Amino acid sequence: MSIDYLQNFIDYYFMSKKANNRSNRKLWFRILCTFLKLFVHKKEYIFLGDNPNDSQPFILFTNHVGSNGPISHELYAPFKFRFWGTYEMTDKLSVCYKYFTEIYLHNKKKMNLKLAKFLGALAIPFVRIFYRGMKLIPTYTDVNLMKSISLSMKSLSTGENLIIFPEDSHDGYHDHLTGYFGGGFLAADQYCKKFNKDIVLYNAYLIKKQNIVVVDKGIPFSQLKATYGNDFQAMADEFCRRANELGDLYRNKTK
């Protein structure tokens, strides 16, 4: 075990008790993350504008990068938050297993189906525990999305920011993002209406090979609203374009 990994272990275990970004996680989950941090490289957050903080709620949109995105943000994001994530991962075991093996491992990660089902049977208990520990907000592609919005309003009102992975990943995860969905912008709109105040949105891009997360300067939702009205898909398209731009700008840079 290297000195750096040992230092990560010590820092996360002791500092997480003081850091606001982990105050909404159970103790057992923080301990689990302490061990995971020994094996997941630390991510450097590069802020191109103001640093997001917990004084005002915000929503951060970022690319998924398979499992690396959620795990990296869970371990290293310097603010308190809850994830949006597909409802199947919080559903009953059979639904979770089917999604994890057939959709995630086979369709998105391009793994052989038989191998995916075998590995999924071994991994699914741990995966379910991890997702429960993250306090995931389940998301839907139908009218049940309003359940996600309602939970999001509660989280934002209590100081838990949102991290949303809006990319269209039906054919896998790509360095060049092919599209974003607009549900997160609907959540921002509902927040402004419900609490009669603005909310800042951040656009980010995780570059796995360089272990960096580039976070663009924040944009007040009211600014997007003035430009795009209620066209949440147009907002999503612009965020996707800018995310790709962030990735292209930093992908070939050395730290």
Side-chain angles (χ1 to χ4, degrees), residues 76-131:
Y76 297 111
F79 41 77
K80 186 166 69 173
F81 67 89
R82 289 181 71 179
F83 287 117
W84 268 25
T86 185
Y87 78 92
E88 288 94 340
M89 298 306 294
T90 63
D91 209 321
K92 60 185 180 180
L93 182 60
S94 60
V95 174
C96 183
Y97 174 77
K98 181 178 177 65
Y99 177 87
F100 184 69
T101 56
E102 297 182 15
I103 304 300
Y104 177 72
L105 292 180
H106 180 56
N107 291 351
K108 297 188 178 187
K109 301 294 289 185
K110 311 304 180 185
M111 185 181 293
N112 175 273
L113 183 57
K114 290 183 178 180
L115 178 60
K117 289 187 174 183
F118 172 73
L119 294 180
L122 299 177
I124 203 65
F126 175 80
V127 171
R128 282 175 60 80
I129 289 173
F130 192 77
Y131 270 81

Side-chain angles (χ1 to χ4, degrees), residues 134-149:
M134 289 194 301
K135 297 178 63 180
L136 188 80
I137 295 177
T139 57
Y140 305 83
T141 57
D142 54 20
V143 295
N144 287 313
L145 177 62
M146 295 314 296
K147 295 180 181 179
S148 310
I149 300 296

